[in-house]
Amino acid sequence: MALHSHFLSLPRELRDMIYSYYAVEDDGYHFDYDSGKLRTSDGRPIDLGLMYTCKRMAAEMGNIALEPNVVTFSTVCSESERLKAGRFDRAMTTLCDTMGRALWPLGKPEFMSYVTPDVESRVALEYPQFAALLQELQESHRWNPHLIRAGWGGAPSILPIEDELAEIEKALPRPDHEGKKLLLKCFKWRNSAATMAIHFFKSISQSTRLRMRNVVLNEYRKSVAFPECHALGLIPFCQENPRLHLQRCLNLWRNVLPMACESQGEGLLRIVMLPCMSREAGDEELSYWNAAVSFTPWITEALILSAAGMPTGSFSLLFDGDPVPELSAEIFEFYKENAARQAAQDQWCTGHSMTLTFSRRRRQGFYQFEGFPEVLRDIVVESSFIRCNFSTASSHRVELALEKIRDFINIDRWLGDRIKEKVLGKFSTLPPLPEWAGLLLEELIPGWEEEISWNPRGPPTRVAGRDIMRFRSIERLEF
């Protein structure tokens, strides 16, 4: 009792400092999905025994332990939620594809007859980035829906309820057939760290949330339902707590690259299907081109957060190139070269008083998004909220691209040469990473081979030191 009396006689500010020192964990707190609680980095329950000494100290400590500790959320593959997460991903992907197909008639004369001056002015006001496209369609009636690379708004970063998910699946076209369902059951479908953070924030009181200061979203593995959009769901919590800062950490090798290359034909599906296709040299490698452009969806989604209401200074994005930062820097060099080419094209057109149409400007492989060169420059000079933990030092690539374009009088000839340079070769991973195929195979559940049968018409293929067999129904899969 005497010890309590001496401690409680200290000024409140000093007691709060002692509480903070007592509560600090070297590696902060980590969210454990199974228990729904925060734990230490090694999974132990958080020791707050001091709070239970007396009622007054319990009241004073409150949620003060959250202030000095970084709270980390990571991608989660829960066996109880894995297949549901996979179904949710397929539903969101199908929905996005369906919305994309709805734009295919765009550009036909009968469709454009509905675009009145009032419609055109509303588009220019609410979606100014597409005003030039609409004007071009009215003049030429030529349309390539693949020119619009942005997604259809923020995909929901939620843990879906079974009944709601079933209703969504019923409403979507082209349900998955049995062969595809068999394949999807082998994947480690994960929910994003951003989803886990939203789930936790909603489960605690506002007074507890207001005590939080630093949160790390450890997106170390690829996750479902367009995770690059999921930070949008965190905006209300940052608005509620201006002292909260979120750092979203993206592992380049086990998240960013596998996600991008899946859509470009170099992902896990290709590795599994190798026995069904002709093997070529480099099948187990990754192209520089696909690797370089993998940064774009994450950067563009991060850039719109401010306009969507994210408070200034509340969010940062980190590209994690470990455990091979040198190779990560090499890939980023190719990305910077794309920015240099886009800048060179703009400079050439300005110098020759030439304006490229909306579609012509975007059909070049190096074009990523408006303002791309300026965004990359800010990242390189470290004046952006987007950072890398590997070298982004400037090189001669920008000057080289500008020098090349100065030699061309005909912009069509220059653009044609740039398209030919799209194939930039392939590269292999470096230790301690496994080879590219082995890296992707980490996304399959243990025992996935049991879901696959031997191909009676040919021997299995060895990839990453193991036999890759084919699905019985592989001929019916539609990828």
Side-chain angles (χ1 to χ4, degrees):
M1 183 65 68
L3 178 61
H4 290 173
S5 300
H6 289 307
F7 178 78
L8 294 174
S9 66
L10 296 173
R12 177 60 189 270
E13 294 80 4
L14 187 55
R15 295 202 303 274
D16 284 346
M17 292 177 62
I18 295 173
Y19 293 145
S20 295
Y21 279 116
Y22 170 82
V24 166
E25 289 284 344
D26 291 340
D27 296 321
Y29 297 160
H30 294 252
F31 177 66
D32 177 64
Y33 175 72
D34 293 331
S35 66
K37 298 179 179 180
L38 299 180
R39 305 280 191 183
T40 62
S41 59
D42 57 2
R44 291 180 293 106
I46 297 171
D47 180 12
L48 295 176
L50 185 60
M51 286 185 63
Y52 307 113
T53 305
C54 69
K55 291 183 179 180
R56 181 176 175 183
M57 293 176 69
E60 289 182 352
M61 281 194 71
N63 295 310
I64 200 172
L66 291 172
E67 293 186 11
N69 284 293
V70 175
V71 180
T72 299
F73 297 87
S74 300
T75 51
V76 170
C77 179
S78 167
E79 188 55 37
S80 62
E81 297 286 336
R82 180 176 64 85
L83 295 182
K84 187 191 297 185
R87 289 165 53 203
F88 186 52
D89 183 79
R90 299 301 302 169
M92 291 298 100
T93 301
T94 303
L95 179 61
C96 181
D97 291 343
T98 302
M99 296 177 70
R101 290 190 183 91
L103 290 178
W104 285 4
L106 203 62
K108 293 183 179 180
E110 57 270 27
F111 179 88
M112 294 306 297
S113 64
Y114 293 99
V115 182
T116 63
D118 179 59
V119 171
E120 188 174 355
S121 61
R122 286 185 59 187
V123 170
L125 179 63
E126 299 183 27
Y127 305 97
Q129 66 271 35
F130 296 130
L133 170 62
L134 197 59
Q135 182 179 358
E136 182 178 336
L137 288 172
Q138 289 177 320
E139 297 172 356
S140 66
H141 302 299
R142 298 178 62 185
W143 160 243
N144 180 356
H146 300 293
L147 292 175
I148 300 181
R149 303 182 183 181
W152 306 102
S157 50
I158 61 173
L159 296 176
I161 300 173
E162 177 59 38
D163 293 343
E164 295 178 350
L165 179 57
E167 287 298 316
I168 294 174
E169 291 174 326
K170 287 180 183 179
L172 293 176
R174 295 171 53 193
D176 289 336
H177 48 64
E178 292 305 313
K180 199 167 199 176
K181 289 179 180 178
L182 177 65
L183 177 61
L184 298 179
K185 287 181 180 179
C186 297
F187 280 63
K188 293 180 181 177
W189 299 104
R190 296 179 177 87
N191 287 298
S192 70
T195 298
M196 292 296 101
I198 295 170
H199 173 70
F200 178 75
F201 288 160
K202 289 181 177 180
S203 70
I204 60 179
S205 66
Q206 182 186 45
S207 60
T208 302
R209 291 195 299 267
L210 291 176
R211 286 288 191 176
M212 303 182 76
R213 296 292 179 266
N214 293 289
V215 168
V216 171
L217 306 174
N218 183 21
E219 309 282 6
Y220 73 101
R221 292 282 191 176
K222 58 185 257 188
S223 48
V224 303
F226 305 104
E228 60 271 24
C229 307
H230 291 181
L232 288 166
L234 291 161
I235 291 176
F237 304 107
C238 292
Q239 293 174 334
E240 173 189 70
N241 181 4
R243 291 183 289 180
L244 175 64
H245 179 265
L246 308 173
Q247 177 178 282
R248 201 171 193 196
C249 183
L250 309 171
N251 186 268
L252 191 62
W253 295 98
R254 287 184 163 90
N255 181 1
V256 178
L257 293 180
M259 282 189 61
C261 295
E262 195 73 65
S263 62
Q264 300 295 329
E266 291 188 336
L268 180 58
L269 293 181
R270 175 173 176 80
I271 298 301
V272 174
M273 292 176 64
L274 280 176
C276 314
M277 303 179 292
S278 59
R279 290 292 303 278
E280 300 176 358
D283 270 334
E284 297 172 24
E285 297 178 328
L286 181 63
S287 72
Y288 276 110
W289 181 266
N290 290 338
V293 299
S294 64
F295 295 92
T296 295
W298 296 97
I299 291 177
T300 53
E301 289 298 330
L303 291 173
I304 69 170
L305 291 177
S306 178
M310 181 68 76
T312 302
S314 293
F315 182 86
S316 62
L317 188 71
L318 175 68
F319 287 103
D320 174 20
D322 289 339
V324 284
E326 295 82 6
L327 186 55
S328 301
E330 185 177 338
I331 293 171
F332 197 77
E333 277 295 296
F334 278 89
Y335 195 50
K336 288 194 295 182
E337 186 168 346
N338 284 339
R341 289 171 175 170
Q342 185 172 326
Q345 173 183 269
D346 293 344
Q347 182 174 323
W348 192 95
C349 291
T350 300
H352 292 77
S353 301
M354 180 178 182
T355 302
L356 297 180
T357 64
F358 182 96
S359 58
R360 190 180 181 192
R361 177 171 170 76
R362 284 158 177 78
R363 73 187 179 203
Q364 311 309 325
F366 53 78
Y367 177 90
Q368 297 301 306
F369 53 89
E370 286 300 308
F372 172 47
E374 293 76 19
V375 170
L376 261 288
R377 181 191 60 215
D378 290 342
I379 294 175
V380 169
V381 301
E382 300 182 352
S383 62
S384 172
F385 69 94
I386 303 172
R387 300 180 295 109
C388 304
N389 69 352
F390 49 84
S391 175
T392 59
S394 298
S395 68
H396 65 286
R397 291 188 183 276
V398 175
E399 293 75 14
L400 184 61
L402 292 173
E403 189 63 35
K404 285 182 178 179
I405 197 173
R406 292 190 190 102
D407 298 332
F408 286 92
I409 299 177
N410 189 319
I411 186 66
D412 286 318
R413 178 186 169 193
W414 184 82
L415 294 177
D417 284 357
R418 302 291 75 74
I419 294 174
K420 292 177 183 177
E421 291 178 11
K422 180 175 181 178
V423 181
L424 299 173
K426 296 190 173 185
F427 67 94
S428 300
T429 57
L430 299 174
L433 288 173
E435 63 182 37
W436 180 239
L439 198 62
L440 295 178
L441 288 174
E442 294 177 357
E443 294 299 309
L444 296 177
I445 61 174
W448 63 272
E449 299 95 332
E450 298 176 4
E451 300 288 341
I452 305 174
S453 64
W454 292 100
N455 172 18
R457 292 177 293 178
T461 302
R462 290 197 60 86
V463 176
R466 63 197 304 179
D467 289 329
I468 305 299
M469 299 156 279
R470 63 182 296 190
F471 287 80
R472 284 196 177 99
S473 54
I474 200 73
E475 295 88 351
R476 296 188 289 117
L477 298 181
E478 300 174 0
F479 298 108

